[in-house]
Amino acid sequence: MTKGHWLESGSKSRSALLVIDVQNDFCPGGALGVPGGDEIIPGINLLSGRFPVTVFTQDWHPQDHLSFASNREEGVPFEVVDAGYGEQVLWPDHCVQGSHGAGFHADLCHDMADMVIRKGMNPAIDSYSAFFENDRITPTGLEGYLRTRDVERVICVGLATDFCVHYTAVDAARLGFQVVVPEDYCRAIDLDGSLAAARGAMTGAGVEIIAPAD
């Protein structure tokens, strides 16, 4: 099959597009801007009308969120600490509830969403995945919604490949969905080799990664 087989008409049946965290703070100029994060928006806008179900996600943190380095004494951005439920990267303040940075990028056609999942609202637990908080137990409700829509396959796009896209894709595969991650529609932070690690984890979980077009 060609690289575009995941977009062929027969493959759309019972599929959902998951658009992960295309928010101002994750785009260039934002508090945690992903290089080239805004470059994927035109392609995502075109994809949004091609699948029966489209779900958008937003990081939606309270100001006192434990993942913010500013909320820890001597906290250093990008340092990894033990958060009780596992390792946690300390981030610059980002996607604070109701802020401009938490909003969808102005060029993103988010009115195509059938549902918007907001995650990371609990100040004591971060949430990379669209399916579970980082304790790996607390659900967001996304799985139940997709089951009621008879979804069998999910296409994961957005920001960032090595964090929220990665965790969402692995959880989707663990829950029994077929999962595709087309990298032309994602961008990565690549923090200390995190992109290579994420690709390995996704492949190991059975996720189909579609390499960028030449």
Side-chain angles (χ1 to χ4, degrees):
M1 285 190 175
T2 65
K3 285 185 178 181
H5 72 87
W6 56 279
L7 270 176
E8 293 170 6
S9 58
S11 70
K12 292 193 298 181
S13 177
R14 305 180 82 173
S15 295
L17 179 70
L18 305 185
V19 181
I20 310 298
D21 297 358
V22 184
Q23 297 167 259
N24 292 317
D25 269 346
F26 293 133
C27 289
L32 193 52
V34 179
D38 54 349
E39 297 171 355
I40 62 176
I41 293 173
I44 289 175
N45 287 343
L46 292 175
L47 285 182
S48 294
R50 299 187 67 170
F51 294 92
V53 177
T54 300
V55 176
F56 284 57
T57 74
Q58 283 178 292
D59 259 13
W60 199 252
H61 298 308
Q63 186 64 68
D64 61 347
H65 201 266
L66 94 165
S67 72
F68 293 171
S70 64
N71 288 327
R72 289 188 175 241
E73 187 175 351
E74 299 182 1
V76 178
F78 308 109
E79 178 185 7
V80 178
V81 300
D82 182 2
Y85 52 77
E87 291 187 344
Q88 172 67 53
V89 178
L90 296 183
W91 302 108
D93 292 17
H94 65 281
C95 297
V96 174
Q97 296 173 358
S99 69
H100 172 77
F104 291 119
H105 191 284
D107 294 337
L108 184 70
C109 296
H110 59 274
D111 58 348
M112 299 292 291
D114 295 289
M115 184 184 214
V116 175
I117 291 282
R118 286 176 169 171
K119 55 192 180 67
M121 293 182 288
N122 185 333
I125 307 175
D126 206 1
S127 185
Y128 296 157
S129 171
F131 289 95
F132 293 97
E133 293 185 343
N134 282 6
D135 60 3
R136 320 305 301 141
I137 298 172
T138 307
T140 64
L142 177 58
E143 179 191 5
Y145 177 72
L146 295 180
R147 300 293 186 201
T148 64
R149 296 294 303 271
D150 294 324
V151 169
E152 294 183 344
R153 192 179 71 126
V154 297
I155 314 299
C156 299
V157 301
L159 306 171
T161 314
D162 40 345
F163 284 92
C164 294
V165 173
H166 155 215
Y167 278 77
T168 297
V170 168
D171 277 348
R174 180 166 63 90
L175 292 169
F177 294 100
Q178 301 171 38
V179 187
V180 178
V181 174
E183 290 192 314
D184 274 334
Y185 301 87
C186 306
R187 291 293 184 273
I189 297 173
D190 202 11
L191 181 65
D192 296 328
S194 58
L195 179 56
R199 284 172 172 155
M202 288 190 286
T203 300
V207 174
E208 181 182 6
I209 299 175
I210 307 297
D214 295 332

